Structures are given as structure tokens and as C-alpha cells.
Amino acid sequence: MHEKLEEGERWALLDCDDVLVDWIGGFSNFVSGLRGQRIITRPDSWDMSGWLSLPETEVRGLVNRFNETERGFEALTAIEGAHRALTTMKAFGYRLAIITSSSVHPSSVERRARNVSTLYGDLIERLHIVPLGESKEHVLTAYRNAIWVEDNPKNAELGARLGHRAFLMKACHNGHVHGVAEQEGVVHVEGWH
């Protein structure tokens, strides 16, 4: 995971869920199937218990089940404009790595790698997965002066504090802070365009 970095390497570090792949859309479809009714809204915060009208522990269980056992997890669709943006970054000499917080269950890791490979081919050189809800700090510190694209305001700010050029990608669940409460060193962007 932590191969030696060469002097002068240029890296773009990318979160995966809702930055490169539509995790919320896949999860919504999964929950809709369980309930037998289509969910047409999206969550407006990281706490999905209100959105799903379920206790937080049940939501966590559903997230783990989706990430670890459901076929939809390996068939998530690309975020609009991401492939083109990554191709452009690669053309400008950036190497691309994903840093994501997800299940580290072996089947989940394998399915995540397949999904990323299907959508982005050989554009992504490294895939770092930290356990769901854990800090990405130890992986972010392995890189120097990289571009860091994230949808979680706390993780974007962490990357900025560690010396990365941080971008907060707008998503349904971060709209309450996106464009409103910019953190020092974090640029808010609407999407890949």
C-alpha cells in the first residue's frame, strides 16, 4: 500500500464514493429493493437515519450489508465528468490514487477494485481502503503536495492541513456546508467540470 514515493511525483488523491462513483444512488436502489418501494429523495446530511426513517444502528447495518454482500456495490455508476477529468489529469502528468473509507472485508475490497477498474481502467494506479468511519490521515501523510478531491468536509480540511491542495466536491449530503462555510485551504467545487 505505501510504496516509496519518488521525488517530483505528482499525485491526485481521490475519494471514491460520491466523488468517482454514485454510492448514494446504488445504496438508494438497494434500500428501495428491500422496502419494495422506490426512494426518490437523497440524504441531505451524513446522518442517513432521518432520510431513511430508521435508527442509526439499522442504517449502519444496511450500509455494511450493501458494501460487503450486495452486487450493486460492484456495479456503481461513474459520477458525471469524472472519467474525462481523470484522463485530463493523467495527460498533465498526475498519477492517480483513491483513498476511500469503506468496508475492508475481502469480498468488498475485491468488488470495489473491480468496479473502479471497470469504470476507470488503468487510470487509477493505487487503491487505499481504510475501515469505514476511520481517519484517512495515515494514508494522506504518505503523499506530499498532492491534489485531494473529497466530498466529506472534515476529510477535505484534513488534507489541506496536511499540505495538499484540497477540493470539496458538492454532494447531496454536504450541501449544508458546501459554498457556505469554506474551510481554510479547501476550494469548493460544484462537480468535475
Side-chain angles (χ1 to χ4, degrees):
M1 178 168 95
H2 294 285
E3 297 174 30
K4 185 177 184 288
L5 297 180
E6 297 298 324
E7 190 66 36
E9 285 184 324
R10 293 169 26 149
W11 283 92
L13 310 174
L14 313 158
D15 180 38
C16 193
D17 296 318
D18 301 310
V19 169
L20 296 177
V21 300
D22 182 13
W23 185 90
I24 289 292
F27 183 68
S28 293
N29 290 338
F30 163 65
V31 175
S32 292
L34 290 177
R35 289 185 168 177
Q37 63 185 43
R38 188 165 176 250
I39 297 174
I40 58 171
T41 61
R42 289 190 169 232
D44 61 1
S45 76
W46 288 96
D47 178 3
M48 294 187 290
S49 57
W51 172 58
L52 296 175
S53 300
L54 293 171
E56 186 179 332
T57 55
E58 284 187 47
V59 173
R60 247 192 329 266
L62 288 171
V63 167
N64 288 332
R65 180 175 165 192
F66 177 67
N67 288 353
E68 294 176 4
T69 65
E70 296 301 319
R71 294 190 60 183
F73 183 72
E74 68 185 73
L76 298 173
T77 59
I79 295 293
E80 183 180 342
H83 193 278
R84 184 175 182 182
L86 271 53
T87 301
T88 301
M89 282 189 229
K90 201 77 159 169
F92 279 100
Y94 283 92
R95 298 178 71 188
L96 307 175
I98 290 174
I99 304 173
T100 187
S101 175
S102 184
S103 171
V104 292
H105 188 276
S107 70
S108 179
V109 170
E110 183 179 312
R111 289 193 335 271
R112 167 57 42 103
R114 266 197 311 263
N115 186 217
V116 167
S117 178
T118 297
L119 296 175
Y120 297 103
D122 61 358
L123 290 172
I124 305 295
E125 292 183 43
R126 296 182 183 171
L127 174 60
H128 304 279
I129 301 176
V130 299
L132 190 62
E134 288 194 17
S135 176
K136 298 177 180 180
E137 183 171 4
H138 69 283
V139 182
L140 285 166
T141 57
Y143 294 89
R144 298 282 179 255
N145 303 317
I147 289 174
W148 171 225
V149 184
E150 172 66 83
D151 66 322
N152 183 323
K154 291 178 185 175
N155 287 335
E157 189 172 5
L158 172 64
R161 279 197 322 268
L162 294 172
H164 301 299
R165 186 163 181 212
F167 295 88
L168 180 68
M169 181 80 67
K170 186 175 185 178
C172 60
H173 47 270
N174 70 17
H176 60 288
V177 298
H178 193 275
V180 176
E182 290 200 21
Q183 308 93 327
E184 187 174 333
V186 178
V187 177
H188 291 207
V189 294
E190 294 293 318
W192 281 107
H193 58 280

